[in-house]
Amino acid sequence: MLRVLLACSLLSACALGAQLPIKPARPASKVGMGIMSSLFGGKGYGGTAVMGEESIMAPKAHGTSAVPVQLNLQWGCDEKTADRICNFNRHYAEYAGYWESTKFIEEARKEVAANGPITFYDSNTGKPLFKAPMERSFDQFIAESKSHGWSKGF
């Protein structure tokens, strides 16, 4: 079974696995949003942010991807919901709290206790995206995820 929480959901990150034009990585900085950034400053990101071109979301063979999400998503994630979010969606992700309706918390807690951080993968490509929890406990990871409404990897 693939270790994919709701498809792109943890980060709404389906596009991260796309084989499309990607701007070179930038060191930690403020990311610009046009005039609003010049007035109020851009959003800061730690580490290296890789910003994708708008073409990442251009229509392809299957919505905004060449392929649908993989089958047998882990933790009881619904493939139709995952496919809609990852491939036929330009705004938002799943509704806040969806991940709590899956088997994620129960099964991931056991796996983290036995093996340490879990690697999460892109639902379409199967490429690894991130590991979690890192530098915090599983309970801290879950508490932060609940405060955001969806789980947060890094």
Side-chain angles (χ1 to χ4, degrees):
M1 207 175 245
L2 297 174
R3 180 172 291 130
V4 180
L5 186 47
L6 174 77
C8 24
S9 179
L10 280 185
L11 303 172
S12 297
C14 283
L16 292 177
Q19 298 297 311
L20 296 167
I22 303 278
K23 292 181 185 176
R26 299 187 243 191
S29 64
K30 297 283 186 184
V31 176
M33 297 292 289
I35 192 157
M36 295 304 283
S37 293
S38 62
L39 294 173
F40 302 107
K43 181 171 179 160
Y45 295 93
T48 301
V50 178
M51 302 302 292
E53 299 289 339
E54 181 64 21
S55 62
I56 288 174
M57 298 302 289
K60 297 174 189 60
H62 188 78
T64 55
S65 177
V67 296
V69 297
Q70 299 175 51
L71 301 178
N72 300 316
L73 299 176
Q74 195 164 2
W75 303 308
C77 293
D78 179 68
E79 285 136 10
K80 286 178 84 174
T81 301
D83 197 50
R84 177 181 48 78
I85 292 166
C86 292
N87 300 312
F88 297 95
N89 177 32
R90 281 300 307 257
H91 306 285
Y92 314 111
E94 79 280 6
Y95 61 85
Y98 169 80
W99 63 279
E100 293 180 81
S101 71
T102 69
K103 300 174 193 170
F104 172 69
I105 295 175
E106 171 189 343
E107 293 180 10
R109 180 181 302 283
K110 292 175 190 172
E111 186 167 344
V112 168
N115 303 312
I118 297 171
T119 302
F120 292 83
Y121 298 87
D122 181 277
S123 301
N124 288 67
T125 67
K127 292 180 180 181
L129 296 174
F130 61 90
K131 290 185 177 191
M134 300 295 288
E135 300 179 11
R136 60 189 161 179
S137 71
F138 184 79
D139 288 334
Q140 290 169 323
F141 167 63
I142 295 299
E144 181 179 351
S145 298
K146 286 181 178 183
S147 75
H148 289 282
W150 49 85
S151 62
K152 186 172 179 201
F154 339 103

